[in-house]
Amino acid sequence: MGMLDERVAVITGAAQGIGLEIARRFLAEGARVVLGDVNGEAAEKSAAELAAAGDGGAAIGARCDVTSEDEVGALVQRAVAEFGSLDVMVNNAGITRDATMRKMTLEDFRAVLDVHLVGSWLGTRAAGGVMREQKRGSIINISSISGKVGMLGQTNYSSAKAGMVGLTKAAAKELAYLGVRVNAIQPGLIRTAMTEALREDIWAAKLAEIPMARAAEPAEVAGVALFLASELSSYMTGTVLEVTGGRYM
Ligand code: NAI
């Protein structure tokens, strides 16, 4: 018995990193999973690897740029067409364009808002549309602790990630009576390609702020996503769960 038997999940930005680990964990718990990513080839490759490694679980990969209303709609419809429902939506796709405001361009600001905030809104709206008919569903928005505290050089990213908290709570209120829950996760320092790019001194400074004195593996975010996706969190909506090793508690 898996915690997500009979469930269908869509995860955006799932070709690698946190999204891929969420897909892996959901699959291990019996879900059928659609991995969307702007890098469609990478999504298909990751899905094929997951399906081959798992015991019969179904995973498919598809190109989806979360800033495109049509592509997000098509990704959700693909899940329904292939697997018959949509029970879990994880809005995870993300980019960074860090710079202080002296150097950040309007284009950098808009690009980050577009992927995280507009992308999550499109995903929440498309998934909510299917889930409200089913009277069941869990939507999970991957925010960031940067949205809680604001980070230097991240006026774009912190704005977007804070905006995702507002989106989560407003959508939770709209969908609660229909049996659809909407929650957010705010990860701290997680070992992925996104953080690999950090300068060594910046990495060390971040580590020094973490009570647990280490970064997390993507699987440690995936476990919390599983909790929010599953019936274990059946009475939780509009919440923001911090996965930070105690940083900025
Ligand atoms: P990553 O860079 O390893 O993976 C991000 C994925 O999103 C990539 O596969 C990329 O192709 C995809 N993507 C980018 N733009 C896209 C678009 N327009 N449409 C669809 N897919 C797109 O990053 P990571 O670390 O796995 O991040 C996943 C999420 O977790 C992001 O939302 C990020 O902001 C968030 N996060 C990450 C933290 C970390 O320490 N790594 C900390 C807090 C939040």
Side-chain angles (χ1 to χ4, degrees):
M1 276 277 288
M3 289 170 74
L4 298 179
D5 282 343
E6 313 292 323
R7 298 289 195 266
V8 177
V10 168
I11 303 155
T12 67
Q16 62 178 49
I18 292 170
L20 177 57
E21 281 311 309
I22 292 173
R24 192 190 312 281
R25 192 66 211 268
F26 283 10
L27 203 63
E29 294 293 337
R32 284 158 294 166
V33 182
V34 179
L35 291 78
D37 203 287
V38 70
N39 186 341
E41 264 177 41
E44 283 173 27
K45 189 163 169 274
S46 293
E49 284 168 10
L50 287 185
D55 34 26
I60 53 177
R63 184 196 136 84
C64 171
D65 179 346
V66 296
T67 66
S68 157
E69 183 176 12
D70 289 348
E71 291 188 28
V72 172
L75 189 72
V76 162
Q77 285 315 314
R78 178 91 191 269
V80 175
E82 298 262 353
F83 298 133
S85 68
L86 175 65
D87 306 293
V88 184
M89 176 80 191
V90 185
N91 294 305
N92 164 80
I95 59 168
T96 50
R97 295 276 187 277
D98 292 2
T100 60
M101 279 190 290
R102 279 194 309 159
K103 291 194 178 153
M104 187 180 290
T105 61
L106 178 58
E107 196 186 5
D108 289 336
F109 186 82
R110 284 205 169 122
V112 169
L113 265 284
D114 216 20
V115 172
H116 294 276
L117 188 54
V118 177
S120 297
W121 182 77
L122 287 172
T124 299
R125 189 180 61 160
V130 175
M131 290 172 176
R132 64 189 300 147
E133 298 300 321
Q134 297 175 174
K135 300 273 189 291
R136 180 177 88 183
S138 171
I139 299 172
I140 302 163
N141 291 321
I142 307 297
S143 172
S144 164
I145 203 67
S146 179
K148 175 182 175 182
V149 300
M151 300 267 195
L152 240 156
Q154 292 198 318
T155 48
N156 50 3
Y157 187 81
S158 295
S159 302
K161 292 304 201 184
M164 287 173 70
V165 172
L167 162 66
T168 298
K169 293 181 179 184
K173 285 182 180 167
E174 284 190 19
L175 296 169
Y177 78 104
L178 295 159
V180 181
R181 301 182 295 111
V182 190
N183 292 285
I185 298 175
Q186 291 190 323
L189 187 62
I190 319 295
R191 283 185 192 284
T192 68
M194 189 175 271
T195 47
E196 247 166 41
L198 286 172
R199 256 182 17 220
E200 213 170 294
D201 56 321
I202 294 178
W203 179 270
K206 287 185 186 292
L207 268 189
E209 294 172 344
I210 303 172
M212 286 179 73
R214 65 174 178 86
E217 298 304 323
E220 297 180 280
V221 180
V224 179
L226 171 63
F227 169 69
L228 289 176
S230 78
E231 287 305 304
L232 283 180
S233 60
S234 57
Y235 198 53
M236 291 175 74
T237 197
T239 68
V240 183
L241 301 186
E242 296 176 16
V243 184
T244 61
R247 185 166 167 230
Y248 301 131
M249 65 178 75

